[in-house]
Amino acid sequence: MPSFVVDIVGSVAAFLTTICWLPQTVRIIKTKETSAISLASQAIFASGVSLWLAYGFMISSWPIIAANFITLLLLIMIIFLKLKHG
Amino acid sequence: MPSFVVDIVGSVAAFLTTICWLPQTVRIIKTKETSAISLASQAIFASGVSLWLAYGFMISSWPIIAANFITLLLLIMIIFLKLKHG
């Protein structure tokens, strides 16, 4: 497997698992509906993403830092909306 | 920073971002309620996790393979329940 293929697969993976929370955030803002969303899942996920962010700083990996920083911003918004709308 | 600290932070991060989807799955099974969940977000997330899984195989990283395999199983169940309950 050529290494640029591996890099592309990893980059597309990171891109998708980062921007995927945008439709969820937009949906909640539009519908104000959050009852089906598990606060436990979102809280554990946000804790994990925070640790990935710390890990990114520890190994000085800018792709890990950037991807997890954006994910964390979207998650904080989802958790805020969940706490607001219940 | 000692390397075992970095490894522990990465391992806990991977553990949390894997098991976090269990409470969401259990919640949907219990309540049969999925309306607030964005199918677009779940579909894009599952595509990204599938690519992370492929990436894990390409670089022969068992932690990446295992974490993303378990995440993908939970996501497939969430997407199935979302399609079923609407």
Side-chain angles (χ1 to χ4, degrees):
Chain A
M1 182 78 61
S3 78
F4 76 92
V5 175
V6 178
D7 287 348
I8 289 172
V9 170
S11 304
V12 177
F15 178 73
L16 292 177
T17 54
T18 299
I19 56 116
C20 66
W21 304 111
L22 200 57
Q24 181 68 70
T25 309
V26 171
R27 185 188 176 99
I28 298 174
I29 290 170
K30 272 191 192 162
T31 63
K32 296 183 171 50
E33 200 197 339
T34 55
S35 63
I37 289 169
S38 162
L39 184 59
S41 279
Q42 296 298 322
I44 300 169
F45 190 44
S47 309
V49 169
S50 302
L51 285 181
W52 276 126
L53 188 59
Y55 181 80
F57 279 110
M58 285 169 175
I59 66 166
S60 303
S61 164
W62 290 104
I64 294 180
I65 292 170
N68 286 287
F69 180 73
I70 296 168
T71 307
L72 194 58
L73 286 185
L74 290 168
L75 286 179
I76 288 171
M77 218 179 301
I78 291 171
I79 291 172
F80 170 80
L81 292 165
K82 168 73 184 171
L83 291 172
K84 191 176 167 196
H85 299 305
Chain B
M1 181 81 58
S3 77
F4 77 91
V5 175
V6 178
D7 287 349
I8 289 172
V9 171
S11 304
V12 177
F15 178 74
L16 292 178
T17 55
T18 299
I19 55 114
C20 67
W21 304 111
L22 199 57
Q24 181 67 70
T25 309
V26 170
R27 185 187 177 98
I28 297 175
I29 290 170
K30 271 192 192 162
T31 64
K32 297 182 172 48
E33 200 196 340
T34 54
S35 63
I37 289 168
S38 162
L39 184 59
S41 279
Q42 296 299 321
I44 300 169
F45 190 45
S47 309
V49 170
S50 302
L51 285 181
W52 276 126
L53 188 59
Y55 181 80
F57 278 110
M58 284 170 177
I59 67 166
S60 302
S61 164
W62 292 104
I64 294 181
I65 293 170
N68 285 286
F69 180 74
I70 296 168
T71 306
L72 194 57
L73 286 185
L74 290 168
L75 285 180
I76 288 170
M77 216 177 302
I78 291 172
I79 290 172
F80 170 79
L81 292 165
K82 168 72 185 171
L83 291 173
K84 191 176 166 197
H85 300 304

